[in-house]
Amino acid sequence: MTDQSPPTADIPDRAGAMRLVHRYVGISAVAGLNPIPVLDVTVLGGVHVSLIKALTEYYGREFSEHAARNILIAIAATLVPGAIGSILGRRILTALPFITPGGGMGTMAMFSAAVSYGLGMMFIRHFERGGTLDSFDPRNLHRVLATVGLSGR
């Protein structure tokens, strides 16, 4: 009888991966404080690619330009509504007299951090199951948004 499960010695410690995710969650929160609409979403997309690259390298997977481009396109397609929401949301929040600009920026920072956390967890699970960037299905990105309560689906 053979054991089909992968040896645990080959899978890096999840705590190390979580340290990476927490680092990028902080960076994402700072990116969410950017007061310039659309620029905040662009910076956040770059942070997400860096997070994916860091986790890919941590799990000893190959980070290919082709796969990175596909993931970036999927993230960009996911974030386009966010960019529109960023512009509209900032205008609405600044129009409300009881919401300060700082409160609106804090909300954007919180959502940015939440999306990064969900994305990081999705890739950790994917890599722990033996997945690679090439086997990643970008259609799963909606799950990240649903996990943090931002999905329109």
Side-chain angles (χ1 to χ4, degrees):
M1 191 170 178
T2 60
D3 184 19
Q4 296 290 332
S5 62
T8 57
D10 292 345
I11 300 174
D13 180 29
R14 183 178 267 215
M18 289 305 298
R19 281 190 294 277
L20 288 171
V21 170
H22 289 136
R23 179 183 313 145
Y24 282 95
V25 163
I27 294 168
S28 294
V30 172
L33 293 172
N34 184 334
I36 302 169
V38 181
L39 181 61
D40 59 347
V41 176
T42 303
V43 170
L44 188 59
V47 171
H48 287 162
V49 170
S50 296
L51 168 62
I52 294 166
K53 183 175 188 218
L55 287 172
T56 302
E57 291 171 352
Y58 181 78
Y59 281 96
R61 305 298 194 269
E62 184 178 333
F63 187 79
S64 71
E65 286 298 318
H66 177 71
R69 260 192 311 247
N70 289 340
I71 292 170
L72 180 59
I73 289 167
I75 290 172
T78 302
L79 293 178
V80 165
I84 295 167
S86 171
I87 294 167
L88 294 175
R90 286 178 196 273
R91 288 183 188 237
I92 290 169
L93 287 174
T94 56
L96 298 173
F98 55 88
I99 302 285
T100 65
M105 287 178 19
T107 301
M108 290 297 292
M110 180 183 67
F111 283 129
S112 297
V115 169
S116 295
Y117 180 81
L119 186 67
M121 291 306 300
M122 184 175 69
F123 272 95
I124 287 173
R125 286 191 292 268
H126 178 70
F127 291 140
E128 285 180 348
R129 292 181 185 136
T132 65
L133 283 183
D134 289 330
S135 69
F136 177 74
D137 185 357
R139 292 176 290 187
N140 292 329
L141 285 173
H142 74 278
R143 291 183 191 163
V144 173
L145 299 176
T147 300
V148 296
L150 299 175
S151 178
R153 290 185 181 193

